[in-house]
Amino acid sequence: MRLLWGSGRRGRVRFLLMALGSALGVACLAAVLTIPTILAAHDARTAARAAVPGGHSNIVYQEFLDPYGSRPLRRIFIARTGPGPTPPAPGIREIPHAGEAIVSPELGELLAANPQAAGLVPGHVTGTIAPEGLGGPDDLYAYVGTAPAELTGARPLSHFGGERTSEEVVDSSTLDILRFTLGCIVLLPLVIFLSVCARLSGESRARRLAALRLIGLSVKDTLRVNAGESVAAASLGALLGLLGYLGVNEIMARVGLPGLQWYPADGRPEPSTVAVCLLGCPLLAWIVGQFSARQAALSPISVRRTGERKRPKKYGTLLLIPGLGVIGGYCALSVMGRDPSGGSASAVLVPGAVLLTGAGLVFGLAPITAWFARRLARATKSLPMALAMRRTEVDPGASLRVATGLVLLIFGASLTQGVLVELDQVSRRTTPVQEYNIKLSDLKPTQRKALAAVPGVRMQIVTYGSWYRLDDAMPERLDLVAATCPQLIASTRQARGCVDGRAMQLRDGNAAYPDDPQPGDRFPFLAGDDRKVTFTVPHEWIDMSAYQPSVFHTGALLVPPSLLPQNLADANGTLTLVSGADPATIRSVLDGIGSVAPTASVEPVGIVISSLAQLTVIRSLLVVGMVLGLVIGVAAFVVSVADRALERRGQVTALALLGAGAGTLRVVQVVQVLLPLVVGLGAAIVAGWLAESSYLITGGGEVHWDWEGLPLLVVCALGVMGAAAVASVPMVRRHIDPEHIRRD
């Protein structure tokens, strides 16, 4: 440290930059390592409040899970069957009595802001649930006291708190995928970035260490000097980064992410995370310091006289062979029409191939860049291009520091797109339309009219079921679908033979059953005045193919709205809303339904609300990972380019003395930066897209090739190269420093 502070202002600035870079990296590391802690804290609290049935208790309960807009709403209706003690529930002092309710703060605010939603929680709200009884601040949860006779599916309550929870933020299998993806897009670039920070001004430091070695310092002490400086900067940076993360956590916990909010205590690092941050970063700096100073300690003369550097070894490129071989093999099988999805082998081969490919992109970047530079230098007639290529050929290792973080970011972005596409397939229907069923008895006429104006809703369709005896074991039923031919065509794959103004039967040749209603059969429908209205199945039918499950199913009767009696009983009727099927539209429509009819029971056909909420959380976490990866990649690039420009001041001075113009020097700098980026980003786009495709193929979904995401990656890569070119220009100055003239 005495040598560092005695080396002048430049040495102290370098130390400060190393510390700040390490602080940024450690803050990102703490954020990634704390994500599982936040999810685990949420799941632990929801498991502690889970109602466990059993025993001969004086308490019975019934649990309801309903959507409130696009968010799950959970209600526990509790009734006392006799005197006696009640089991304690987390977050509340006492189980509510009949006519009382205890709600979460978020649900209490919704009830106060929307009086129409009061029917969701019958009774007088007497209190709120404390944080230990909630998964997060945005939880919609209620304990409702009632009478035993009001519960149709009551079960005796043994106690609260189970070993596992059914309210996981992210299920275990998806959490493993999330961890792997965050590791690829954040942790791998983070290691590169911390290594870059530990090797700032590597050439100048090597010359200084070589001078110490030449005046008599031992090899061991020389390595200690370099490692001590790196470890001191990394330790200071780790402490600053951890403090910075704690401050950011306090702010973000109050703001939250889409679909995920947490308490500040959930996001505070555990002791193991603190140990990893405070010890892991200095340990990495020590390893890098030992490696980077070895040449100066063992061969100080070659360092001081700037001898010829060794060419990079090509062994790193060999990692691309098995990696690309596996993912390319899966893609080839899909092109040939074979389905390689499923099986335990894919679960091991694909992640392993992805890791090998990513490592090959990192370790193979320097030799591949040197090979391209050598070929271009021989072929070019341009002086700036020749100077840039020869310099890159001599020192291709600098490309690792400049481009590796951004290359891994683009490669990880491809994997992230694949994960989102796969999760999107399993969490919702892969159809162009989405239906929402609501009982007509739950809606008022004004609400039905308001639902038609909900943003995203394309049409309303009313369906009535025929009347049948409750004691019939296998009742024959017929559904009347009040819709027009254009509505039928817009909501199905195909519909042939539909005639407007005429009642016709729907028939799907791929889904027809022998017990479907036959032409001439008569079915009664209950009217509002308890009369029976009879419909006869017509002989005309429509050949159609619907997206199942759907209100348009085989055997149903399509009736024009003008021919439908106006007094059919709402108790047997269902209102179906139809919208687009993209997640944003689905959430918008569900939120619109919740604001218009908060007490109505909504069935999003083919969708589980908890899965939709989980997809929102995963998207938010992956976006956070991408933002952290982008920050790390850009920071690594800026630090590397600035450090490289400072290291090359002597070479720029020599070229300026030989007569090179300012334009020539700037072109050389830009080309030197762009070549490794072009090579690395191009390889990352191709390899990342193949890796994403292999993941989608082995996932078993319908989407195997993400053509929509490919242009986005190309545009991002072009934007990165453009920004790199612009940022490289100011790094070159023609100012001649006498110190550099003396040195070289």
Side-chain angles (χ1 to χ4, degrees):
M1 295 304 296
R2 291 176 61 189
L3 289 172
L4 170 66
W5 292 108
S7 61
R9 185 167 58 98
R10 292 180 180 178
R12 292 190 290 271
V13 170
R14 182 182 69 242
F15 179 84
L16 181 60
L17 290 177
M18 292 171 61
L20 293 178
S22 300
L24 176 61
V26 168
C28 295
L29 177 63
V32 174
L33 295 180
T34 310
I35 288 176
T37 305
I38 294 174
L39 301 181
H42 179 283
D43 294 342
R45 287 192 297 269
T46 55
R49 75 183 182 190
V52 179
H56 300 282
S57 174
N58 63 326
I59 301 293
V60 294
Y61 77 99
Q62 187 171 356
E63 187 172 358
F64 293 89
L65 173 61
D66 300 291
Y68 185 87
S70 59
R71 301 164 60 185
L73 167 64
R74 291 178 173 85
R75 296 169 293 171
I76 304 292
F77 284 78
I78 302 176
R80 290 174 169 83
T81 58
T86 59
I92 61 175
R93 295 182 178 179
E94 184 184 7
I95 290 177
H97 295 270
E100 298 178 347
I102 303 177
V103 300
S104 63
E106 181 76 6
L107 181 57
E109 293 178 2
L110 290 177
L111 295 176
N114 190 357
Q116 294 180 343
L120 293 172
V121 184
H124 176 62
V125 177
T126 59
T128 57
I129 305 174
E132 56 266 23
L134 299 173
D138 60 339
D139 210 353
L140 300 181
Y141 205 84
Y143 294 97
V144 183
T146 186
E150 300 293 331
L151 302 179
T152 58
R155 294 188 292 177
L157 175 65
S158 173
H159 62 277
F160 289 97
E163 296 180 358
R164 298 186 61 184
T165 177
S166 59
E167 307 173 33
E168 294 177 329
V169 182
V170 180
D171 62 79
S172 57
S173 60
T174 307
L175 184 58
D176 293 337
I177 299 174
L178 182 64
R179 287 171 176 166
F180 178 77
T181 307
L182 289 177
C184 291
I185 63 178
V186 179
L187 294 183
L188 289 180
L190 181 60
V191 172
I192 302 297
F193 174 64
L194 293 176
S195 301
V196 168
C197 293
R199 294 189 63 186
L200 283 179
S201 300
E203 186 174 342
S204 300
R205 292 168 67 185
R207 294 173 64 88
R208 180 163 56 89
L209 294 172
L212 293 175
R213 180 76 178 91
L214 289 174
I215 63 175
L217 201 64
S218 65
V219 174
K220 191 174 183 180
D221 289 338
T222 302
L223 295 177
R224 283 179 176 177
V225 168
N226 186 58
E229 179 181 345
S230 300
V231 169
S235 300
L236 177 60
L239 182 60
L240 294 176
L242 204 57
L243 294 175
Y245 166 75
L246 290 173
V248 172
N249 172 67
E250 296 295 324
I251 298 174
M252 289 301 301
R254 290 163 174 78
V255 176
L257 298 173
L260 178 64
Q261 289 189 352
W262 64 95
Y263 296 105
D266 298 343
R268 290 166 189 157
E270 294 182 336
S272 58
T273 302
V274 174
V276 169
C277 293
L278 294 182
L279 300 179
C281 183
L283 178 61
L284 178 62
W286 181 82
I287 295 174
V288 173
Q290 291 283 322
F291 175 78
S292 60
R294 188 162 298 274
Q295 184 181 5
L298 297 178
S299 182
I301 294 294
S302 63
V303 173
R304 294 295 298 180
R305 293 185 176 179
T306 317
E308 183 178 356
R309 292 180 174 88
K310 295 181 180 180
R311 292 185 178 182
K313 297 180 181 180
K314 301 179 181 179
Y315 300 123
T317 57
L318 297 178
L319 297 175
L320 291 172
I321 297 176
L324 292 177
V326 172
I327 61 180
Y330 278 112
C331 294
L333 289 175
S334 178
V335 171
M336 291 187 294
R338 300 182 181 181
D339 184 12
S341 62
S344 57
S346 300
V348 177
L349 287 177
V350 172
V354 169
L355 291 177
L356 287 175
T357 304
L361 289 174
V362 173
F363 296 111
L365 183 60
I368 294 175
T369 302
W371 184 84
F372 271 106
R374 187 161 51 251
R375 296 299 185 276
L376 292 174
R378 293 175 182 175
T380 185
K381 302 295 184 182
S382 171
L383 175 61
M385 180 66 72
L387 287 173
M389 293 301 101
R390 289 304 183 188
R391 180 61 192 173
T392 304
E393 179 187 356
V394 171
D395 187 19
S399 61
L400 279 174
R401 293 190 294 164
V402 174
T404 301
L406 296 175
V407 168
L408 288 177
L409 177 64
I410 295 296
F411 182 72
S414 299
L415 295 178
T416 304
Q417 288 181 339
V419 171
L420 290 176
V421 171
E422 183 68 19
L423 292 175
D424 196 34
Q425 292 183 89
V426 301
S427 63
R428 68 179 181 90
R429 301 169 61 194
T430 55
T431 60
V433 295
Q434 176 62 46
E435 298 178 2
Y436 315 83
N437 293 335
I438 310 172
K439 293 182 179 180
L440 287 178
S441 56
D442 293 342
L443 297 173
K444 300 177 182 178
T446 55
Q447 291 175 326
R448 290 178 57 179
K449 184 177 180 180
L451 288 175
V454 170
V457 173
R458 298 177 180 176
M459 65 187 76
Q460 284 187 344
I461 299 171
V462 179
T463 305
Y464 291 94
S466 61
W467 176 85
Y468 61 94
R469 296 182 182 273
L470 296 178
D471 55 355
D472 290 345
M474 299 279 297
E476 295 184 357
R477 296 197 59 190
L478 176 68
D479 289 335
L480 292 184
V481 182
T484 62
C485 289
Q487 289 177 331
L488 173 66
I489 295 172
S491 303
T492 57
R493 289 189 178 93
Q494 63 177 7
R496 295 190 297 268
C498 184
V499 179
D500 276 325
R502 182 182 299 179
M504 306 178 73
Q505 189 180 18
L506 300 177
R507 185 174 299 177
D508 188 346
N510 296 324
Y513 296 95
D515 56 350
D516 281 345
Q518 301 300 315
D521 292 347
R522 299 168 63 87
F523 293 86
F525 288 81
L526 188 64
D529 52 2
D530 292 335
R531 293 185 303 106
K532 305 293 191 304
V533 179
T534 302
F535 275 82
T536 303
V537 178
H539 293 273
E540 296 84 359
W541 51 274
I542 301 171
D543 184 14
M544 64 96 188
S545 176
Y547 304 107
Q548 296 299 337
S550 172
V551 66
F552 298 104
H553 59 85
T554 185
L557 191 63
L558 184 70
V559 179
S562 59
L563 300 181
L564 190 71
Q566 299 298 319
N567 60 341
L568 292 180
D570 288 344
N572 296 330
T574 301
L575 177 67
T576 300
L577 304 177
V578 181
S579 74
D582 59 284
T585 301
I586 292 174
R587 281 190 288 269
S588 174
V589 172
L590 285 173
D591 290 338
I593 295 174
S595 62
V596 173
T599 60
S601 178
V602 184
E603 178 196 357
V605 179
I607 291 180
V608 180
I609 290 296
S610 58
S611 298
L612 187 64
Q614 183 180 127
L615 180 61
T616 304
V617 173
I618 294 171
R619 284 182 180 275
S620 299
L621 294 178
L622 289 179
V623 167
V624 170
M626 289 298 298
V627 170
L628 293 178
L630 179 62
V631 170
I632 293 169
V634 172
F637 170 77
V638 172
V639 170
S640 300
V641 171
D643 181 54
R644 194 174 178 214
L646 293 175
E647 291 287 285
R648 290 189 63 248
R649 287 177 300 179
Q651 300 160 10
V652 172
T653 301
L655 291 174
L657 288 174
L658 291 174
T664 300
L665 296 177
R666 292 191 176 96
V667 171
V668 171
Q669 173 70 10
V670 170
V671 173
Q672 284 183 218
V673 172
L674 285 183
L675 178 62
L677 281 178
V678 171
V679 174
L681 295 181
I685 290 175
V686 175
W689 187 71
L690 291 176
E692 176 194 5
S693 300
S694 65
Y695 173 77
L696 294 175
I697 290 167
T698 55
E702 295 183 3
V703 178
H704 287 181
W705 309 97
D706 182 21
W707 296 105
E708 296 182 359
L710 190 59
L712 178 62
L713 294 177
V714 175
V715 171
C716 291
L718 293 176
V720 166
M721 289 186 288
V726 174
S728 301
V729 174
M731 297 297 178
V732 176
R733 297 186 303 169
R734 297 187 73 251
H735 174 69
I736 298 177
D737 193 335
E739 180 184 354
H740 296 148
I741 300 175
R742 177 189 59 79
R743 176 180 297 175
D744 287 348

